[in-house]
Amino acid sequence: QVQLVESGGGLVQPGGSLRLSCAASGSGFSIYDMGWYRQAPGKHRELVAHITSGGTTNYADSVKGRFTISRDNVKNTVYLQMNSLKPEDTAVYYCNAQRVYSFWGQGTHVTVSS
């Protein structure tokens, strides 16, 4: 069982940056593949970035070159550094832990607006 708590969301102007954090409790964080997903109003939840237990990353085309996912297996935390934010990045961002089972956090709101 893994519990996930996201933080770091908020209101930011276009072109700005935010860093999201997802703190995991429970055992075995380092063996989980971790992902950040987002869901905008009226849209399906979509994968933003993913990092495997071995550190391999992949990104949605819409965020490549702007977002960076990383993990700290000592702090049991996964991060999403978001730069050059655009209004279309506005969404609720969710953290996911996946191995045999999938676990989700409660989400953190990101609003990009002037």
Side-chain angles (χ1 to χ4, degrees):
Q1 186 81 8
V2 176
Q3 294 81 43
L4 303 171
V5 178
E6 301 98 334
S7 61
L11 173 64
V12 62
Q13 292 186 343
S17 298
L18 282 175
R19 188 175 83 154
L20 305 184
S21 300
C22 172
S25 59
S27 61
F29 173 79
S30 64
I31 66 173
Y32 282 85
D33 294 339
M34 301 298 297
W36 284 98
Y37 291 73
R38 67 186 180 189
Q39 187 166 16
K43 295 188 176 181
H44 295 295
R45 191 173 297 189
E46 62 175 357
L47 175 67
V48 175
H50 182 264
I51 184 166
T52 68
S53 58
T56 301
T57 59
N58 69 283
Y59 298 90
D61 287 344
S62 60
V63 307
K64 281 182 181 177
R66 300 188 298 123
F67 290 11
T68 303
I69 188 171
S70 61
R71 65 190 297 161
D72 185 331
N73 290 338
V74 174
K75 294 182 178 180
N76 285 4
T77 302
V78 62
Y79 303 97
L80 185 68
Q81 178 67 43
M82 306 187 295
N83 299 328
S84 302
L85 282 161
K86 303 176 181 180
E88 50 263 44
D89 295 318
T90 295
V92 180
Y93 283 71
Y94 297 91
C95 179
N96 173 264
Q98 174 73 45
R99 185 162 168 83
V100 176
Y101 300 103
S102 184
F103 301 95
W104 294 91
Q106 82 290 348
T108 185
H109 290 256
V110 173
T111 302
V112 185
S113 175
S114 54

